[in-house]
């Protein structure tokens, strides 16, 4: 059976890569906010689509059987769908490419923090040859215990890369694991979060935003990190902790620093106190960037399953929120 596929996305060259990989498919490019946007989408039984551009059309596409989103995070989409009845499958984009990119981000920032890279940059600007403190007296990754909150595709990838460097790796999930992961030294479920915080030098959040994860680190939870002097790296969602609680944890020195790629409000407001803290590193939600070729590779893998009637990868559960 021939399928009509519509693409509605701002990702550059997405259509080009899709046509290169799947030249025999009928593919239609759809531009947002045009007079024929809805009519073109109505003719499609499959869409490859950005979540924000999908929102106005979720309940207006009677022919749609499958929507492949180009985002890993689908909170806004599932929130809009909770009161709607849909008859199609939604899958989110999250694959080994995201895992690799975000692993690089994590390892780079651990390296930078452990070796006082920011201080080295300042020393260079001032023509200073200094080797004091952590510049020469630093830990290697193999000296560290690292806790990963969330063991989906991305969390597993980060765990594997850290284990390659010899770290002691802890992983946390909401429910018990169904498989043994050789690169995990310790596994805990959510109710044992304080134990993980007590035992890890770095806490890496890769959890999505859901009813089970919002506010997970709120209040005084991070006080469990005090004796370890942990660093928080957040590449999941900013809803894991209120900014006020994060600022308090830094002020009380429950954690000694934070590397933040995601925030409660994005872009991070200019008046946020996080900007000025020397122990905080801020990036603009770029730890894992969606690339056209990666989306198409993932879509192709899912499309082969779709035509065979098999279960698709990364199917979105509207009730769970991801």
């Amino acid at each position: 059976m021939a399928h009509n596929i519509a693409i509605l996305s701002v990702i550059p060259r997405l259509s080009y890569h899709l046509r290169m990989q799947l030249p025999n498919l009928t593919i239609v490019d759809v531009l947002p906010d045009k007079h024929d946007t809805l009519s073109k989408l109505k003719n499609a039984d499959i869409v490859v689509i950005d979540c924000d551009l999908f929102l106005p059309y979720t309940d207006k596409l009677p022919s749609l059987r499958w929507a492949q989103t180009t985002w890993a995070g689908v909170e806004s989409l599932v929130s809009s769908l909770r009161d709607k009845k849909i008859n199609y499958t939604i899958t989110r984009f999250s694959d080994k490419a995201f895992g690799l990119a975000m692993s690089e981000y994590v390892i780079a920032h651990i390296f930078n923090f452990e070796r006082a890279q920011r201080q080295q940059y300042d020393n260079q600007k001032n023509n200073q040859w200094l080797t004091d403190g952590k510049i020469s007296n630093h830990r290697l990754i193999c000296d560290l215990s690292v806790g990963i909150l969330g063991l989906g595709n991305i969390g597993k990838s980060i765990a594997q890369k850290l284990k390659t460097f010899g770290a002691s790796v802890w992983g946390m999930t909401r429910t018990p694991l169904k498989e043994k992961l050789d690169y995990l030294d310790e596994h805990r479920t959510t109710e044992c979060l304080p134990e993980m915080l007590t035992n890890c030098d770095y806490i890496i959040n890769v959890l999505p935003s859901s009813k089970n994860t919002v506010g997970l680190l709120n209040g005084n939870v991070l006080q469990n990190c005090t004796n370890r002097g942990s660093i928080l790296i957040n590449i999941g969602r900013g809803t894991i902790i209120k900014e006020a609680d994060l600022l308090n944890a830094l002020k009380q020195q429950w954690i000694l620093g934070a590397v933040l790629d995601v925030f409660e409000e994005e872009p991070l407001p200019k008046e946020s106190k996080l900007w000025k803290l020397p122990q905080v590193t801020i990036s603009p939600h770029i730890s894992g960037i969606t690339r056209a070729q990666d989306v198409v590779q993932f879509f192709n893998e899912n499309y082969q399953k779709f035509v065979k009637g098999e279960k698709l990868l990364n199917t979105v559960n509207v009730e769970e929120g991801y």
Side-chain angles (χ1 to χ4, degrees):
M1 175 183 173
H3 295 111
N4 294 319
I5 301 174
I7 301 175
L8 178 55
S9 174
V10 298
I11 299 173
R13 295 173 65 80
L14 180 58
S15 176
Y16 166 80
H17 284 283
L18 191 56
R19 285 182 167 90
M20 288 294 291
Q21 279 213 26
L22 296 164
N24 297 323
L25 296 184
T26 301
I27 299 170
V28 176
D29 293 302
V30 183
L31 297 176
D33 301 322
K34 298 295 183 181
H35 70 278
D36 61 348
T37 299
L38 179 57
S39 61
K40 285 185 176 180
L41 291 174
K42 276 186 173 182
N43 291 328
D45 52 348
I46 300 172
V47 295
V48 181
I49 196 164
D50 298 350
C51 285
D52 57 341
L53 299 180
F54 192 20
L55 293 176
Y57 309 109
T58 53
D59 59 349
K60 296 180 174 65
L61 308 177
S63 299
L64 187 61
R65 297 175 57 197
W66 167 34
Q68 172 66 63
T69 71
T70 61
W71 296 7
V74 292
E75 298 90 353
S76 60
L77 179 59
V78 297
S79 178
S80 73
L81 289 172
R82 287 207 170 94
D83 297 324
K84 297 178 182 177
K85 182 176 178 60
I86 61 172
N87 297 311
Y88 53 86
T89 299
I90 302 173
T91 54
R92 62 187 184 91
F93 170 64
S94 179
D95 75 340
K96 61 183 180 182
F98 257 160
L100 180 60
M102 296 172 93
S103 296
E104 288 184 2
Y105 179 96
V106 166
I107 290 169
H109 280 287
I110 291 176
F111 173 93
N112 286 343
F113 189 87
E114 290 301 317
R115 299 184 181 229
Q117 202 67 33
R118 182 179 292 180
Q119 183 61 53
Q120 292 194 56
Y121 293 145
D122 290 340
N123 292 345
Q124 180 178 342
K125 291 177 183 177
N126 297 316
N127 304 335
Q128 293 181 309
W129 183 283
L130 299 175
T131 61
D132 56 325
K134 291 170 64 177
I135 293 175
S136 59
N137 184 24
H138 52 256
R139 298 178 294 185
L140 303 180
I141 290 179
C142 63
D143 300 322
L144 303 173
S145 290
V146 182
I148 302 172
L149 309 183
L151 290 173
N153 292 335
I154 295 169
K156 288 177 179 177
S157 179
I158 294 170
Q160 287 176 307
K161 306 304 183 297
L162 286 168
K163 179 49 65 178
T164 298
F165 282 93
S168 176
V169 182
W170 291 56
M172 190 201 78
T173 55
R174 186 166 58 88
T175 57
L177 291 176
K178 297 179 181 179
E179 56 184 333
K180 177 176 172 55
L181 303 177
D182 294 337
Y183 43 83
L184 276 190
D185 297 285
E186 300 285 345
H187 173 261
R188 298 292 186 272
T189 50
T190 310
E191 61 267 20
C192 297
L193 174 61
E195 181 187 359
M196 174 182 282
L197 298 178
T198 301
N199 284 281
C200 291
D201 302 296
Y202 282 81
I203 305 299
I204 302 167
N205 176 50
V206 293
L207 289 166
S209 181
S210 72
K211 61 184 180 182
N212 298 307
T213 64
V214 170
L216 187 66
L217 299 181
N218 280 353
N220 63 355
V221 175
L222 290 178
Q223 190 171 3
N224 291 284
C225 298
T226 302
N227 292 336
R228 201 82 184 193
S230 310
I231 308 299
L232 173 66
I233 299 180
N234 191 3
I235 55 176
R237 284 294 181 266
T239 54
I240 193 81
I241 184 171
K242 291 181 179 178
E243 182 174 315
D245 291 340
L246 175 58
L247 286 166
N248 185 57
L250 289 162
K251 179 181 179 181
Q252 301 296 334
Q253 295 190 328
W254 297 341
I255 57 175
L256 296 187
V259 177
L260 307 172
D261 188 53
V262 291
F263 304 89
E264 275 189 292
E265 182 181 348
E266 296 183 7
L268 182 65
K270 291 184 178 180
E271 60 271 18
S272 171
K273 295 180 180 179
L274 291 170
W275 288 109
K276 303 296 184 183
L277 296 181
Q279 70 272 46
V280 172
T281 298
I282 290 171
S283 59
H285 205 145
I286 45 76
S287 60
I289 295 295
T290 301
R291 304 189 307 168
Q293 59 267 42
D294 298 327
V295 173
V296 170
Q297 184 173 342
F298 182 78
F299 173 81
N300 189 10
E301 187 176 356
N302 248 351
Y303 181 72
Q304 303 310 318
K305 293 180 177 295
F306 181 79
V307 296
K308 296 175 184 176
E310 298 175 358
K311 180 176 173 57
L312 302 183
L313 301 171
N314 294 352
T315 299
V316 172
N317 184 317
V318 173
E319 292 302 316
E320 292 292 338
Y322 59 93

